[in-house]
Amino acid sequence: AQTVTQSQPEMSVQEAETVTLSCTYDTSESDYYLFWYKQPPSRQMILVIRQEAYKQQNATENRFSVNFQKAAKSFSLKISDSQLGDAAMYFCACRNAGNMLTFGGGTRLMVKP
Amino acid sequence: GAVVSQHPSWVICKSGTSVKIECRSLDFQATTMFWYRQFPKQSLMLMATSNEGSKATYEQGVEKDKFLINHASLTLSTLTVTSAHPEDSSFYICSAREKDRGQQPQHFGDGTRLSIL
């Protein structure tokens, strides 16, 4: 079994500033993947960034980067130069070798103009 | 990119009606499809995993006779909510894993909002 925990139900950031969303996970598997998904009001699930557990280097996608701390089982998402369009629900997820995807409870990000 | 089409996007029906939701992979073959349920302001909960040509695997607490899943082809999986009641009202999302690309992320449909009166 695996669990994913997002301790921040809501976060707020000023436009153009940087914000970090927290995520911790627990899994008994050695081979797994971690993801951050964005869900805007339209409720589409949009993949933001992914990290393979065997890679030590933190993944980066433009303004989005992660801080992957494998020993601590922590996988935080940093959004730089926040934009109004970044406002959404963000879900952290862990996928095991069997392809089962487990989501955290989500963090609602608000961006203030 | 890989596209998953989910239909209908919103359905409103009377209690007791059975509702079928379709999940199609438009430009790839999906050996495995996943069905999730999302209540308002909550996370996605996996309901079941369906593999093409075999019976679906249901998560604990999900009634298989209530939520019928069929994955008859590599591009189509259906979820039928049988004799739906107001407590079945929710947002249902499917996702699909590409054949022979198991390491790639799942592709999500846009979801179906089910409202039972």
Side-chain angles (χ1 to χ4, degrees), chain B residues 4-36:
Chain B
V4 173
S5 173
Q6 193 172 336
H7 178 82
S9 56
W10 193 0
V11 58
I12 304 172
C13 57
K14 293 181 179 179
S15 184
T17 307
S18 291
V19 180
K20 180 185 282 188
I21 302 170
E22 292 187 348
C23 182
R24 291 182 185 273
S25 56
L26 297 186
D27 50 2
F28 66 97
Q29 292 184 325
T31 47
T32 306
M33 288 188 173
F34 304 88
W35 287 95
Y36 298 86

Side-chain angles (χ1 to χ4, degrees), chain B residues 14-114:
Chain B
K14 293 181 179 179
S15 184
T17 307
S18 291
V19 180
K20 180 185 282 188
I21 302 170
E22 292 187 348
C23 182
R24 291 182 185 273
S25 56
L26 297 186
D27 50 2
F28 66 97
Q29 292 184 325
T31 47
T32 306
M33 288 188 173
F34 304 88
W35 287 95
Y36 298 86
R37 183 173 182 177
Q38 185 181 28
F39 289 108
K41 299 185 179 182
Q42 293 189 24
S43 186
L44 281 74
M45 299 299 294
L46 180 66
M47 298 175 66
T49 302
S50 75
N51 292 296
E52 185 266 337
S54 63
K55 289 184 178 180
T57 302
Y58 290 82
E59 295 301 304
Q60 192 173 10
V62 178
E63 299 175 59
K64 61 181 180 180
D65 295 330
K66 175 74 172 177
F67 299 99
L68 300 178
I69 291 173
N70 183 284
H71 192 165
S73 77
L74 283 171
T75 59
L76 174 65
S77 176
T78 60
L79 167 67
T80 301
V81 184
T82 61
S83 188
H85 291 284
E87 59 266 27
D88 298 323
S89 298
S90 188
F91 191 68
Y92 294 86
I93 308 177
C94 71
S95 70
R97 182 171 70 90
E98 283 190 62
K99 182 181 179 182
D100 299 328
R101 300 194 71 190
Q103 303 310 313
Q104 294 302 310
Q106 299 168 13
H107 305 289
F108 283 86
D110 287 345
T112 297
R113 182 176 168 183
L114 176 62

Side-chain angles (χ1 to χ4, degrees), chain A:
Chain A
Q2 53 192 28
T3 59
V4 179
T5 304
Q6 292 177 249
S7 59
Q8 307 152 316
E10 282 191 1
M11 289 286 285
S12 180
V13 63
Q14 202 71 36
E15 193 176 6
E17 297 290 305
T18 296
V19 65
T20 298
L21 307 184
S22 301
C23 174
T24 57
Y25 63 93
D26 193 15
T27 178
S28 57
E29 306 216 359
S30 57
D31 182 20
Y32 57 91
Y33 294 77
L34 297 165
F35 303 86
W36 276 98
Y37 283 91
K38 172 184 177 181
Q39 189 181 44
S42 65
R43 305 192 82 167
Q44 285 178 294
M45 293 295 287
I46 301 168
L47 178 63
V48 175
I49 199 166
R50 63 179 291 204
Q51 173 84 42
E52 291 87 343
Y54 61 85
K55 288 188 177 179
Q56 293 185 338
Q57 187 173 9
N58 288 325
T60 298
E61 285 288 339
N62 301 314
R63 298 183 295 109
F64 299 88
S65 62
V66 298
N67 183 3
F68 176 43
Q69 300 291 325
K70 191 171 183 177
K73 295 185 176 178
S74 170
F75 183 61
S76 60
L77 173 69
K78 185 171 83 171
I79 306 174
S80 304
D81 185 26
S82 297
Q83 300 175 359
L84 295 177
D86 294 334
M89 282 292 290
Y90 285 82
F91 292 100
C92 177
C94 178
R95 191 184 81 191
N96 62 14
N99 265 290
M100 178 177 171
L101 196 59
T102 303
F103 289 90
T107 297
R108 179 175 300 280
L109 178 65
M110 295 172 285
V111 181
K112 298 178 182 177

